[in-house]
Amino acid sequence: MSIFETERLHVRRLTLDDATFILALLNDPAFLKYIGDRGVRTPGDAQAYLLNGPLASYAKHGFGLLLVTLKPDDIPIGICGLLKRDVLADVDVGFAFLPEYVGQGYAFEAATATLAYGREVLGLKRIVAVTSPNNTNSIRLLEKLGLRYEKMVQLSPGAPEIKLLGLNF
Ligand SMILES: CC(C)(COP(=O)(O)OP(=O)(O)OC[C@H]1O[C@@H](n2cnc3c(N)ncnc32)[C@H](O)[C@@H]1OP(=O)(O)O)[C@@H](O)C(=O)NCCC(=O)NCCS
């Protein structure tokens, strides 16, 4: 069941049945480099990640990272969604796509609809994003979405400083 759809994409909640896709996505070199190593190496690890991450977020906040699939055959290509982290005051947008689906505007399409969902359905007044300073693809996408650099932040003590961008609606 779609949460929303765009011209080319369906966006729906992740389930434990998406473990194989999540296993591939979380071990993609770009994911490991720019987001981090979540230590997910087996389908069982991926199910635990889903349970403790996106599924826990749906239960706690009513939103979270969602699965993006390509019409018309519903091929999973990435994740995109809203997160509420304890360490950040505002809800942030996150996304990651398999490398074969990067550079075709899918991330922009999914993220544009995600921001609209946050503003119109969830009633958010502001959305932020955090990204490593060297993740130029992500920064370019966030700026195209209208977010602007605000400050450097650390998500945990001793963690590297990363960029926080924000958009006020
Ligand atoms: C960050 C990430 C999601 C960006 O994805 P992306 O595909 O580059 O982003 P977009 O959807 O904006 O696609 C843009 C490119 O597609 C091209 N494109 C092709 N067809 C297009 C279309 N129909 N519409 C729009 N853009 C199109 C554009 O030219 C654009 O390239 P440009 O910005 O160099 O001009 C992706 O690189 C990724 O998954 N990285 C690994 C995970 C990650 O780092 N996530 C972010 C953590 S903060």
Side-chain angles (χ1 to χ4, degrees), residues 45-146:
D45 293 343
Q47 288 201 334
Y49 166 85
L50 284 162
L51 270 179
N52 301 325
L55 274 56
S57 178
Y58 305 153
K60 184 166 180 193
H61 304 295
F63 57 82
L65 285 170
L66 300 170
L67 180 73
V68 180
T69 70
L70 191 55
K71 293 177 182 177
D73 298 325
D74 265 344
I75 298 166
I77 64 168
I79 55 176
C80 182
L82 298 168
L83 298 97
K84 179 64 196 76
R85 304 173 203 251
D86 292 342
V87 292
L88 292 179
D90 296 297
V91 170
D92 67 286
V93 60
F95 34 68
F97 285 74
L98 288 176
E100 52 268 48
Y101 299 104
V102 167
Q104 298 171 66
Y106 295 134
F108 180 72
E109 199 169 310
T112 300
T114 299
L115 295 186
Y117 180 86
R119 188 183 60 226
E120 291 159 18
V121 181
L122 302 178
L124 300 175
K125 298 280 176 267
R126 170 175 158 80
I127 290 179
V128 301
V130 280
T131 183
S132 342
N134 63 343
N135 193 349
T136 48
N137 277 354
S138 172
I139 293 168
R140 186 171 53 225
L141 170 54
L142 290 167
E143 289 179 341
K144 220 160 41 173
L145 290 164

